[in-house]
Amino acid sequence: MPGDVPQLPRRGPAPAVDSMSNAELARMVESEHPYRGKALFELSDRVAHDDDAATKVAMLSRLTSLRRARLFDRVSLAWSAIIALLAAETEHSRSSAYEAFSALDIEEQRDMLDYLEVTAIEEAHPRIA
């Protein structure tokens, strides 16, 4: 019966993440805000031109909640953060990505390398469209 189906809680309107500071976005992610993914993606979009954003994305990738949250298949929000750091192709973003990758457990590192189709993280040069 349609009335017996539980309703999901309403999230409300999405925050204007594009006008938020890096610190505000990081706090949204850390607090597990319902729009934490949106906040992380906004912060990730900034890493190519903003070392502070890259540092925050690398730090956030270590959160257990992001390592457990799946975007699809094996890809977690933490992996997406590391991939964004790699794709930015700056010296700071790449070194931040390597540090974030090394914080993953060995099995997760192997899975991520397999997903990226490389044998070492330094070989990964993903493109984000």
Side-chain angles (χ1 to χ4, degrees):
M1 197 169 209
D4 295 339
V5 177
Q7 296 294 315
L8 294 174
R10 299 191 63 83
R11 288 201 237 188
V17 294
D18 58 332
S19 63
M20 297 173 82
S21 71
N22 293 348
E24 290 171 315
L25 293 168
R27 279 193 298 275
M28 273 183 74
V29 176
E30 289 171 323
S31 70
E32 298 188 26
H33 188 279
Y35 284 100
R36 71 178 181 213
K38 187 174 180 70
L40 179 65
F41 296 144
E42 174 63 31
L43 203 51
S44 294
D45 285 346
R46 299 176 185 184
V47 300
H49 307 287
D50 184 341
D51 286 350
D52 176 64
T55 300
K56 284 179 172 41
V57 167
M59 174 202 63
L60 293 168
S61 74
R62 291 167 171 81
L63 293 173
T64 301
S65 62
L66 294 191
R67 291 175 64 185
R68 290 185 180 150
R70 296 286 177 253
L71 290 173
F72 59 90
D73 193 29
R74 299 180 285 177
V75 180
S76 66
L77 281 173
W79 284 19
S80 74
I82 296 168
I83 290 168
L85 290 166
L86 292 167
E89 294 288 352
T90 70
E91 185 177 325
H92 182 73
S93 70
R94 298 270 318 169
S95 66
S96 297
Y98 302 153
E99 290 173 17
F101 177 80
S102 70
L104 301 174
D105 62 47
I106 297 298
E107 185 175 316
E108 196 172 4
Q109 287 179 9
R110 270 183 270 169
D111 281 350
M112 188 170 181
L113 292 175
D114 180 57
Y115 174 77
L116 293 169
E117 299 178 346
V118 295
T119 58
I121 195 65
E122 295 81 7
E123 298 169 4
H125 295 277
R127 299 248 183 243
I128 298 177

